[in-house]
Amino acid sequence: MTCPGRNFVTLKIETDQGVYGLGDATLNGRELSVVSYLEDHVIPCLIGRDAHQIEDIWQYLYRGAYWRRGPVTMSAIAAVDMALWDIKGKIAGLPLYQLLGGACRTGVMVYGHANGTTIENTVEVAQSYQALGYKAIRLQCGVPGLSSTYGVSKDKMFYEPADADLPTENEWNTEAYMRVVPKLFKAAREALGDEVHLLHDVHHRLTPIEAGRLGRDLEPYRPFWMEDATPAENQESFKLIRQHTTTPLAVGEIFNTLWDCKDLISNQLIDYIRATVVHAGGITHLKRIASFADVYGVKTGCHGATDLSPVCMSAALHFDVSIPNFGIQEYMRHTELTDEVFPHNYSFKAGSLHIGEAPGLGVDIDEEKAAKYPYQRAYLPVNRLQDGTLFNW
Ligand code: EZ4
Ligand code: CO
Protein backbone atom coordinates (compact mmCIF):
# COMPACT_ATOMS: atom_id res chain seq x y z
CA MET A 1 0.00 0.00 0.00
CA THR A 2 1.25 3.44 -0.77
CA CYS A 3 -0.44 6.82 -0.92
CA PRO A 4 1.64 9.27 -2.97
CA GLY A 5 -1.32 11.65 -3.26
CA ARG A 6 -3.79 8.77 -3.60
CA ASN A 7 -3.88 5.10 -2.60
CA PHE A 8 -2.37 2.34 -4.71
CA VAL A 9 -2.06 -1.38 -4.03
CA THR A 10 0.89 -2.98 -5.80
CA LEU A 11 1.82 -6.66 -5.91
CA LYS A 12 5.45 -7.63 -6.42
CA ILE A 13 6.21 -11.23 -7.34
CA GLU A 14 9.80 -12.40 -7.21
CA THR A 15 11.13 -15.63 -8.69
CA ASP A 16 13.80 -17.82 -7.10
CA GLN A 17 16.10 -16.58 -9.87
CA GLY A 18 15.70 -12.99 -8.71
CA VAL A 19 13.43 -11.68 -11.48
CA TYR A 20 10.47 -9.67 -10.24
CA GLY A 21 7.23 -8.48 -11.77
CA LEU A 22 4.69 -5.84 -10.70
CA GLY A 23 0.91 -5.88 -10.73
CA ASP A 24 -1.63 -3.18 -9.88
CA ALA A 25 -4.35 -4.29 -7.43
CA THR A 26 -5.94 -0.93 -6.64
CA LEU A 27 -9.70 -0.95 -6.03
CA ASN A 28 -10.69 2.62 -5.26
CA GLY A 29 -12.19 2.99 -1.77
CA ARG A 30 -11.86 -0.76 -1.04
CA GLU A 31 -8.06 -1.11 -1.23
CA LEU A 32 -7.47 -3.05 1.98
CA SER A 33 -9.91 -5.80 0.97
CA VAL A 34 -7.72 -6.62 -2.02
CA VAL A 35 -4.59 -6.51 0.15
CA SER A 36 -6.18 -9.06 2.48
CA TYR A 37 -7.41 -11.21 -0.41
CA LEU A 38 -3.87 -11.30 -1.78
CA GLU A 39 -2.02 -11.76 1.51
CA ASP A 40 -4.42 -14.17 3.14
CA HIS A 41 -5.62 -16.23 0.19
CA VAL A 42 -3.57 -15.79 -2.98
CA ILE A 43 0.08 -15.39 -2.06
CA PRO A 44 0.23 -18.68 -0.08
CA CYS A 45 -0.93 -20.52 -3.25
CA LEU A 46 1.73 -18.89 -5.43
CA ILE A 47 4.83 -19.86 -3.49
CA GLY A 48 6.70 -22.55 -5.38
CA ARG A 49 4.71 -22.35 -8.62
CA ASP A 50 6.21 -21.97 -12.08
CA ALA A 51 5.96 -18.27 -12.90
CA HIS A 52 5.77 -19.10 -16.61
CA GLN A 53 2.42 -20.86 -16.30
CA ILE A 54 0.33 -17.69 -16.58
CA GLU A 55 -2.85 -19.27 -17.96
CA ASP A 56 -2.77 -22.19 -15.53
CA ILE A 57 -2.27 -19.86 -12.55
CA TRP A 58 -5.13 -17.66 -13.79
CA GLN A 59 -7.44 -20.71 -13.98
CA TYR A 60 -6.19 -21.91 -10.59
CA LEU A 61 -7.08 -18.61 -8.93
CA TYR A 62 -10.40 -18.18 -10.79
CA ARG A 63 -11.86 -21.71 -10.85
CA GLY A 64 -9.92 -22.88 -7.84
CA ALA A 65 -11.45 -20.31 -5.47
CA TYR A 66 -14.92 -21.75 -6.19
CA TRP A 67 -16.31 -18.22 -5.50
CA ARG A 68 -15.98 -16.65 -8.93
CA ARG A 69 -15.94 -13.06 -10.14
CA GLY A 70 -16.42 -9.86 -8.14
CA PRO A 71 -14.18 -6.77 -8.05
CA VAL A 72 -11.99 -7.85 -5.10
CA THR A 73 -11.28 -11.33 -6.50
CA MET A 74 -10.72 -10.12 -10.04
CA SER A 75 -8.43 -7.24 -9.01
CA ALA A 76 -6.30 -9.68 -7.03
CA ILE A 77 -6.13 -12.13 -9.96
CA ALA A 78 -5.33 -9.21 -12.28
CA ALA A 79 -2.37 -8.16 -10.13
CA VAL A 80 -0.90 -11.68 -10.23
CA ASP A 81 -1.48 -11.89 -13.98
CA MET A 82 0.19 -8.52 -14.70
CA ALA A 83 3.18 -9.41 -12.52
CA LEU A 84 3.64 -12.76 -14.28
CA TRP A 85 3.50 -11.15 -17.73
CA ASP A 86 6.05 -8.61 -16.48
CA ILE A 87 8.34 -11.46 -15.39
CA LYS A 88 7.91 -13.33 -18.68
CA GLY A 89 8.78 -10.20 -20.64
CA LYS A 90 11.85 -9.52 -18.53
CA ILE A 91 13.08 -13.10 -18.94
CA ALA A 92 12.47 -12.96 -22.70
CA GLY A 93 14.13 -9.54 -22.88
CA LEU A 94 11.10 -8.22 -24.76
CA PRO A 95 8.51 -5.54 -24.09
CA LEU A 96 5.20 -7.23 -23.25
CA TYR A 97 3.46 -6.12 -26.44
CA GLN A 98 5.87 -8.30 -28.42
CA LEU A 99 4.74 -11.37 -26.46
CA LEU A 100 1.12 -10.41 -27.17
CA GLY A 101 1.66 -10.54 -30.93
CA GLY A 102 3.55 -7.32 -31.66
CA ALA A 103 2.41 -3.78 -32.38
CA CYS A 104 -0.70 -3.25 -34.56
CA ARG A 105 -0.30 0.54 -34.57
CA THR A 106 2.27 3.27 -34.02
CA GLY A 107 0.77 4.63 -30.80
CA VAL A 108 -2.25 4.55 -28.54
CA MET A 109 -4.77 7.38 -29.01
CA VAL A 110 -5.79 8.72 -25.62
CA TYR A 111 -8.45 11.10 -24.37
CA GLY A 112 -7.92 13.68 -21.67
CA HIS A 113 -10.44 15.16 -19.27
CA ALA A 114 -11.68 18.72 -19.66
CA ASN A 115 -13.81 19.67 -16.71
CA GLY A 116 -15.10 23.01 -15.51
CA THR A 117 -17.81 24.55 -13.40
CA THR A 118 -19.34 26.35 -16.41
CA ILE A 119 -19.66 25.64 -20.13
CA GLU A 120 -17.24 28.49 -20.86
CA ASN A 121 -14.43 27.32 -18.64
CA THR A 122 -14.90 23.68 -19.69
CA VAL A 123 -14.43 24.76 -23.30
CA GLU A 124 -11.35 26.77 -22.29
CA VAL A 125 -9.84 23.74 -20.57
CA ALA A 126 -10.66 21.63 -23.65
CA GLN A 127 -8.80 24.19 -25.77
CA SER A 128 -5.75 23.82 -23.55
CA TYR A 129 -5.86 20.04 -24.11
CA GLN A 130 -6.13 20.65 -27.83
CA ALA A 131 -3.06 22.88 -27.60
CA LEU A 132 -1.20 20.00 -25.89
CA GLY A 133 -1.94 17.86 -28.95
CA TYR A 134 -4.86 15.77 -27.69
CA LYS A 135 -7.04 14.37 -30.47
CA ALA A 136 -9.80 13.32 -28.09
CA ILE A 137 -11.24 15.13 -25.08
CA ARG A 138 -13.85 14.20 -22.51
CA LEU A 139 -16.14 17.09 -21.53
CA GLN A 140 -17.82 17.38 -18.11
CA CYS A 141 -19.26 20.62 -16.75
CA GLY A 142 -21.09 21.77 -13.65
CA VAL A 143 -24.88 21.61 -13.65
CA PRO A 144 -26.58 24.94 -12.85
CA GLY A 145 -28.25 24.69 -9.44
CA LEU A 146 -26.13 21.77 -8.19
CA SER A 147 -23.30 22.38 -5.76
CA SER A 148 -21.09 19.63 -7.22
CA THR A 149 -21.13 17.31 -10.22
CA TYR A 150 -19.28 14.14 -11.19
CA GLY A 151 -16.10 14.93 -13.11
CA VAL A 152 -15.82 18.56 -11.99
CA SER A 153 -13.09 19.49 -9.56
CA LYS A 154 -11.14 22.50 -8.37
CA ASP A 155 -7.95 21.59 -10.22
CA LYS A 156 -8.13 21.89 -14.02
CA MET A 157 -5.69 19.09 -14.88
CA PHE A 158 -6.23 16.67 -11.99
CA TYR A 159 -9.58 15.21 -11.03
CA GLU A 160 -9.63 13.00 -7.96
CA PRO A 161 -13.04 11.69 -6.92
CA ALA A 162 -11.91 9.71 -3.83
CA ASP A 163 -11.73 12.92 -1.85
CA ALA A 164 -12.61 12.27 1.80
CA ASP A 165 -12.12 10.09 4.87
CA LEU A 166 -15.84 9.23 4.68
CA PRO A 167 -17.98 9.56 1.52
CA THR A 168 -18.75 13.13 0.42
CA GLU A 169 -22.46 13.67 -0.34
CA ASN A 170 -23.27 14.99 -3.83
CA GLU A 171 -26.70 16.07 -5.10
CA TRP A 172 -28.38 15.30 -8.39
CA ASN A 173 -31.08 16.63 -10.73
CA THR A 174 -31.53 14.75 -14.01
CA GLU A 175 -33.59 17.43 -15.77
CA ALA A 176 -31.02 20.17 -15.12
CA TYR A 177 -28.22 17.85 -16.25
CA MET A 178 -30.01 16.95 -19.47
CA ARG A 179 -30.50 20.62 -20.28
CA VAL A 180 -26.84 21.58 -19.89
CA VAL A 181 -24.95 18.77 -21.65
CA PRO A 182 -26.22 19.46 -25.22
CA LYS A 183 -25.37 23.16 -24.69
CA LEU A 184 -21.86 22.18 -23.61
CA PHE A 185 -21.39 20.05 -26.73
CA LYS A 186 -22.73 22.77 -29.01
CA ALA A 187 -20.31 25.33 -27.55
CA ALA A 188 -17.41 22.87 -27.66
CA ARG A 189 -18.00 21.89 -31.30
CA GLU A 190 -18.11 25.55 -32.29
CA ALA A 191 -14.92 26.40 -30.39
CA LEU A 192 -12.87 23.26 -31.08
CA GLY A 193 -13.81 22.46 -34.67
CA ASP A 194 -14.99 19.27 -36.36
CA GLU A 195 -11.92 17.07 -36.10
CA VAL A 196 -11.36 16.60 -32.39
CA HIS A 197 -13.16 13.66 -30.78
CA LEU A 198 -15.51 14.72 -27.99
CA LEU A 199 -16.55 12.28 -25.27
CA HIS A 200 -18.88 12.40 -22.29
CA ASP A 201 -19.37 10.27 -19.16
CA VAL A 202 -22.95 10.05 -17.84
CA HIS A 203 -21.64 8.02 -14.89
CA HIS A 204 -24.67 5.71 -14.62
CA ARG A 205 -27.12 8.53 -13.91
CA LEU A 206 -29.85 8.13 -16.52
CA THR A 207 -32.60 5.64 -17.15
CA PRO A 208 -32.41 3.94 -20.56
CA ILE A 209 -35.09 6.16 -22.07
CA GLU A 210 -33.45 9.32 -20.70
CA ALA A 211 -30.16 8.10 -22.14
CA GLY A 212 -31.84 7.59 -25.50
CA ARG A 213 -33.01 11.18 -25.40
CA LEU A 214 -29.61 12.61 -24.36
CA GLY A 215 -27.90 10.55 -27.06
CA ARG A 216 -30.31 11.96 -29.62
CA ASP A 217 -29.81 15.53 -28.36
CA LEU A 218 -26.03 15.09 -28.75
CA GLU A 219 -26.15 13.61 -32.26
CA PRO A 220 -25.73 16.94 -34.09
CA TYR A 221 -22.34 17.39 -32.37
CA ARG A 222 -21.08 13.91 -33.35
CA PRO A 223 -19.82 12.68 -29.99
CA PHE A 224 -17.19 9.93 -30.04
CA TRP A 225 -19.13 8.18 -27.27
CA MET A 226 -21.58 8.48 -24.44
CA GLU A 227 -20.19 6.50 -21.49
CA ASP A 228 -22.03 4.58 -18.75
CA ALA A 229 -25.37 5.98 -19.86
CA THR A 230 -27.27 3.76 -17.45
CA PRO A 231 -26.30 1.15 -14.86
CA ALA A 232 -25.52 -2.11 -16.67
CA GLU A 233 -26.43 -4.84 -14.23
CA ASN A 234 -29.32 -5.52 -16.60
CA GLN A 235 -27.51 -5.79 -19.92
CA GLU A 236 -30.81 -5.83 -21.81
CA SER A 237 -31.57 -2.26 -20.77
CA PHE A 238 -29.17 -1.04 -23.45
CA LYS A 239 -31.62 -2.22 -26.13
CA LEU A 240 -33.88 0.67 -25.26
CA ILE A 241 -31.04 3.21 -25.61
CA ARG A 242 -30.03 1.71 -28.95
CA GLN A 243 -33.57 2.06 -30.30
CA HIS A 244 -33.41 5.81 -29.84
CA THR A 245 -29.96 7.06 -30.71
CA THR A 246 -27.00 6.55 -33.03
CA THR A 247 -24.61 8.13 -30.50
CA PRO A 248 -21.95 5.46 -29.89
CA LEU A 249 -22.14 3.81 -26.47
CA ALA A 250 -19.30 2.87 -24.13
CA VAL A 251 -19.62 0.92 -20.90
CA GLY A 252 -17.69 -1.37 -18.61
CA GLU A 253 -15.20 0.39 -16.33
CA ILE A 254 -16.71 -1.46 -13.35
CA PHE A 255 -17.01 -4.83 -15.12
CA ASN A 256 -14.92 -7.72 -13.79
CA THR A 257 -15.36 -10.47 -16.36
CA LEU A 258 -16.62 -11.27 -19.83
CA TRP A 259 -19.87 -12.38 -18.22
CA ASP A 260 -20.68 -8.76 -17.33
CA CYS A 261 -20.68 -7.76 -21.01
CA LYS A 262 -21.40 -10.95 -22.94
CA ASP A 263 -24.95 -9.94 -23.93
CA LEU A 264 -24.03 -6.28 -24.48
CA ILE A 265 -21.39 -7.41 -26.95
CA SER A 266 -23.09 -10.33 -28.68
CA ASN A 267 -26.26 -8.28 -29.24
CA GLN A 268 -24.16 -5.35 -30.49
CA LEU A 269 -25.71 -3.04 -27.90
CA ILE A 270 -22.45 -1.16 -27.32
CA ASP A 271 -19.62 0.20 -29.45
CA TYR A 272 -16.80 0.33 -26.89
CA ILE A 273 -16.01 -1.98 -23.99
CA ARG A 274 -14.24 -0.16 -21.13
CA ALA A 275 -13.17 -3.14 -19.02
CA THR A 276 -9.61 -2.66 -17.87
CA VAL A 277 -6.58 -4.70 -16.90
CA VAL A 278 -6.72 -4.20 -13.13
CA HIS A 279 -10.46 -4.71 -12.56
CA ALA A 280 -11.14 -7.40 -15.17
CA GLY A 281 -8.71 -10.18 -14.34
CA GLY A 282 -5.50 -8.92 -15.97
CA ILE A 283 -4.09 -9.15 -19.47
CA THR A 284 -5.11 -12.80 -19.79
CA HIS A 285 -8.81 -12.16 -19.26
CA LEU A 286 -8.95 -8.78 -20.99
CA LYS A 287 -7.51 -10.39 -24.12
CA ARG A 288 -10.38 -12.87 -24.02
CA ILE A 289 -12.92 -10.04 -23.70
CA ALA A 290 -11.31 -8.11 -26.57
CA SER A 291 -11.22 -11.15 -28.86
CA PHE A 292 -14.89 -11.83 -28.16
CA ALA A 293 -15.73 -8.15 -28.76
CA ASP A 294 -13.85 -8.17 -32.05
CA VAL A 295 -16.19 -10.86 -33.41
CA TYR A 296 -19.07 -8.38 -33.01
CA GLY A 297 -17.27 -5.24 -34.20
CA VAL A 298 -16.98 -3.81 -30.68
CA LYS A 299 -13.79 -1.88 -29.91
CA THR A 300 -11.95 -1.32 -26.64
CA GLY A 301 -11.79 1.89 -24.63
CA CYS A 302 -10.02 0.95 -21.41
CA HIS A 303 -10.68 2.84 -18.22
CA GLY A 304 -7.63 4.94 -17.30
CA ALA A 305 -8.51 7.18 -14.36
CA THR A 306 -5.94 8.15 -11.71
CA ASP A 307 -6.94 5.27 -9.43
CA LEU A 308 -5.41 2.93 -12.01
CA SER A 309 -1.72 3.08 -11.19
CA PRO A 310 1.13 3.55 -13.69
CA VAL A 311 1.58 -0.24 -13.42
CA CYS A 312 -1.92 -0.77 -14.83
CA MET A 313 -1.44 2.01 -17.40
CA SER A 314 1.72 0.32 -18.68
CA ALA A 315 -0.07 -3.03 -18.94
CA ALA A 316 -3.01 -1.36 -20.70
CA LEU A 317 -0.73 0.27 -23.28
CA HIS A 318 0.96 -3.04 -24.18
CA PHE A 319 -2.50 -4.53 -24.55
CA ASP A 320 -3.88 -1.56 -26.55
CA VAL A 321 -1.06 -1.51 -29.04
CA SER A 322 -1.24 -5.27 -29.68
CA ILE A 323 -4.94 -5.95 -30.33
CA PRO A 324 -6.72 -5.43 -33.66
CA ASN A 325 -9.90 -3.83 -32.23
CA PHE A 326 -8.38 -1.06 -30.12
CA GLY A 327 -10.60 2.04 -29.97
CA ILE A 328 -9.20 4.58 -27.53
CA GLN A 329 -7.50 4.71 -24.11
CA GLU A 330 -8.54 6.98 -21.24
CA TYR A 331 -5.59 8.92 -19.83
CA MET A 332 -5.80 11.04 -16.71
CA ARG A 333 -2.35 12.26 -15.85
CA HIS A 334 -0.99 11.14 -12.49
CA THR A 335 0.55 13.67 -10.13
CA GLU A 336 4.33 14.16 -10.09
CA LEU A 337 4.52 12.36 -6.75
CA THR A 338 2.79 9.27 -8.16
CA ASP A 339 5.12 9.32 -11.18
CA GLU A 340 8.14 9.49 -8.84
CA VAL A 341 7.01 6.44 -6.87
CA PHE A 342 6.24 4.54 -10.10
CA PRO A 343 8.95 5.43 -12.64
CA HIS A 344 7.64 4.31 -16.02
CA ASN A 345 8.60 4.05 -19.62
CA TYR A 346 5.52 5.44 -21.43
CA SER A 347 5.36 8.94 -22.86
CA PHE A 348 2.80 11.24 -24.44
CA LYS A 349 3.29 12.66 -27.92
CA ALA A 350 0.83 14.26 -30.31
CA GLY A 351 -2.32 12.85 -28.73
CA SER A 352 -0.98 9.33 -28.24
CA LEU A 353 0.85 7.36 -25.58
CA HIS A 354 3.91 5.32 -26.52
CA ILE A 355 4.95 2.40 -24.36
CA GLY A 356 8.64 2.20 -25.28
CA GLU A 357 10.91 -0.83 -25.55
CA ALA A 358 11.82 -1.75 -21.96
CA PRO A 359 11.44 -5.49 -21.28
CA GLY A 360 8.24 -6.59 -19.50
CA LEU A 361 5.77 -3.89 -18.48
CA GLY A 362 8.33 -1.08 -18.43
CA VAL A 363 7.37 0.24 -14.99
CA ASP A 364 8.94 0.04 -11.56
CA ILE A 365 8.21 0.97 -7.95
CA ASP A 366 10.58 2.96 -5.78
CA GLU A 367 9.87 1.12 -2.55
CA GLU A 368 11.81 3.52 -0.36
CA LYS A 369 9.77 6.46 -1.60
CA ALA A 370 6.55 4.43 -1.52
CA ALA A 371 7.13 3.64 2.16
CA LYS A 372 7.10 7.35 2.97
CA TYR A 373 3.41 7.61 2.04
CA PRO A 374 1.29 5.28 4.18
CA TYR A 375 -2.31 4.35 3.33
CA GLN A 376 -4.88 7.03 3.98
CA ARG A 377 -8.53 6.03 3.95
CA ALA A 378 -10.33 7.74 1.07
CA TYR A 379 -13.82 7.10 -0.24
CA LEU A 380 -15.63 7.85 -3.46
CA PRO A 381 -18.65 10.14 -2.95
CA VAL A 382 -22.28 9.08 -2.74
CA ASN A 383 -24.99 10.88 -4.68
CA ARG A 384 -28.52 11.83 -3.61
CA LEU A 385 -31.53 13.25 -5.43
CA GLN A 386 -32.54 16.65 -4.09
CA ASP A 387 -35.22 15.02 -1.89
CA GLY A 388 -32.53 12.91 -0.21
CA THR A 389 -33.06 9.63 -2.12
CA LEU A 390 -29.78 7.78 -2.51
CA PHE A 391 -28.92 7.68 -6.22
CA ASN A 392 -26.16 6.39 -8.49
CA TRP A 393 -22.83 8.12 -8.13
O1 EZ4 B 1 -15.33 7.36 -11.47
O2 EZ4 B 1 -12.09 5.90 -11.63
O3 EZ4 B 1 -14.27 7.38 -16.70
N1 EZ4 B 1 -13.81 7.52 -15.62
C1 EZ4 B 1 -14.49 7.42 -14.46
C2 EZ4 B 1 -13.66 7.53 -13.20
C3 EZ4 B 1 -14.27 6.69 -12.07
C4 EZ4 B 1 -13.21 6.43 -11.02
C5 EZ4 B 1 -13.74 5.46 -9.96
O4 EZ4 B 1 -12.73 4.99 -9.15
O5 EZ4 B 1 -15.68 7.27 -14.47
O6 EZ4 B 1 -13.53 8.85 -12.83
CO1 CO C 1 -16.33 6.60 -16.40
Side-chain angles (χ1 to χ4, degrees):
M1 279 294 328
T2 180
C3 187
R6 69 154 0 277
N7 290 315
F8 294 109
V9 182
T10 311
L11 176 71
K12 180 174 184 178
I13 298 180
E14 202 167 334
T15 71
D16 54 5
Q17 312 201 347
V19 183
Y20 69 89
L22 297 180
D24 182 18
T26 309
L27 184 62
N28 209 359
R30 295 292 184 272
E31 296 86 357
L32 298 180
S33 303
V34 190
V35 173
S36 157
Y37 194 101
L38 283 165
E39 287 185 345
D40 298 332
H41 305 299
V42 171
I43 292 171
C45 303
L46 293 178
I47 313 292
R49 275 180 198 281
D50 178 357
H52 274 311
Q53 290 188 294
I54 298 178
E55 180 70 44
D56 184 69
I57 290 174
W58 195 96
Q59 298 293 341
Y60 189 91
L61 295 175
Y62 183 79
R63 292 173 198 255
Y66 185 60
W67 309 105
R68 299 182 183 197
R69 308 163 62 183
V72 175
T73 300
M74 298 312 291
S75 301
I77 295 178
V80 173
D81 190 76
M82 266 180 262
L84 295 180
W85 278 112
D86 193 16
I87 288 170
K88 200 183 278 294
K90 284 177 178 172
I91 291 173
L94 291 170
L96 174 59
Y97 77 84
Q98 295 290 13
L99 304 184
L100 300 176
C104 287
R105 54 194 56 79
T106 54
V108 168
M109 178 169 72
V110 297
Y111 68 92
H113 286 202
N115 63 66
T117 48
T118 63
I119 290 176
E120 292 68 35
N121 60 40
T122 306
V123 171
E124 271 170 37
V125 178
Q127 282 170 320
S128 67
Y129 273 95
Q130 214 176 12
L132 289 170
Y134 281 80
K135 295 183 165 56
I137 304 166
R138 189 186 91 162
L139 305 170
Q140 310 289 141
C141 76
V143 177
L146 299 186
S147 51
S148 60
T149 309
Y150 165 77
V152 181
S153 62
K154 284 162 222 109
D155 192 297
K156 284 191 165 53
M157 293 298 279
F158 299 104
Y159 169 64
E160 188 51 78
D163 61 358
D165 180 52
L166 285 173
T168 304
E169 303 249 339
N170 293 350
E171 58 171 338
W172 185 248
N173 179 322
T174 297
E175 292 74 26
Y177 167 74
M178 287 193 39
R179 281 194 296 271
V180 79
V181 180
K183 290 180 192 160
L184 169 65
F185 269 70
K186 183 171 194 286
R189 238 337 139 213
E190 279 165 10
L192 304 169
D194 282 333
E195 292 203 356
V196 64
H197 299 302
L198 301 178
L199 297 78
H200 181 70
D201 192 348
V202 177
H203 224 259
H204 323 269
R205 283 156 190 220
L206 297 177
T207 63
I209 199 70
E210 288 164 350
R213 160 96 169 280
L214 180 63
R216 190 180 280 184
D217 289 348
L218 293 179
E219 280 172 23
Y221 317 112
R222 306 254 157 195
F224 184 90
W225 80 29
M226 176 166 71
E227 174 185 338
D228 288 344
T230 199
E233 285 95 327
N234 175 12
Q235 298 182 40
E236 263 194 38
S237 61
F238 276 68
K239 279 188 187 158
L240 194 52
I241 310 177
R242 269 294 204 230
Q243 282 163 13
H244 294 285
T245 182
T246 58
T247 288
L249 302 175
V251 69
E253 67 183 40
I254 67 170
F255 293 173
N256 315 127
T257 68
L258 177 55
W259 306 103
D260 295 326
C261 47
K262 181 179 141 294
D263 299 342
L264 286 168
I265 291 171
S266 61
N267 294 314
Q268 293 177 272
L269 298 178
I270 56 170
D271 302 279
Y272 297 92
I273 178 68
R274 284 182 46 71
T276 189
V277 186
V278 57
H279 299 134
I283 301 270
T284 297
H285 193 66
L286 201 59
K287 272 217 53 103
R288 206 157 272 139
I289 295 176
S291 300
F292 182 72
D294 190 35
V295 174
Y296 298 95
V298 174
K299 294 182 183 178
T300 64
C302 290
H303 189 202
T306 42
D307 47 301
L308 287 70
S309 88
V311 176
C312 178
M313 181 55 79
S314 301
L317 294 173
H318 287 284
F319 168 79
D320 292 339
V321 85
S322 70
I323 57 166
N325 54 327
F326 166 74
I328 198 165
Q329 168 70 51
E330 183 179 21
Y331 175 46
M332 279 171 84
R333 286 163 191 263
H334 286 110
T335 60
E336 266 175 42
L337 204 55
T338 297
D339 286 342
E340 272 175 36
V341 169
F342 296 98
H344 52 74
N345 205 38
Y346 56 83
S347 57
F348 176 88
K349 198 178 157 202
S352 294
L353 280 173
H354 300 271
I355 185 62
E357 296 298 322
L361 290 178
V363 64
D364 211 341
I365 183 167
D366 183 331
E367 289 181 72
E368 245 172 64
K369 270 193 194 142
K372 284 193 211 151
Y373 309 105
Y375 169 73
Q376 260 186 301
R377 191 172 68 192
Y379 278 99
L380 292 169
V382 296
N383 197 24
R384 292 186 189 275
L385 302 181
Q386 287 173 309
D387 71 357
T389 309
L390 198 86
F391 195 55
N392 311 317
W393 176 71

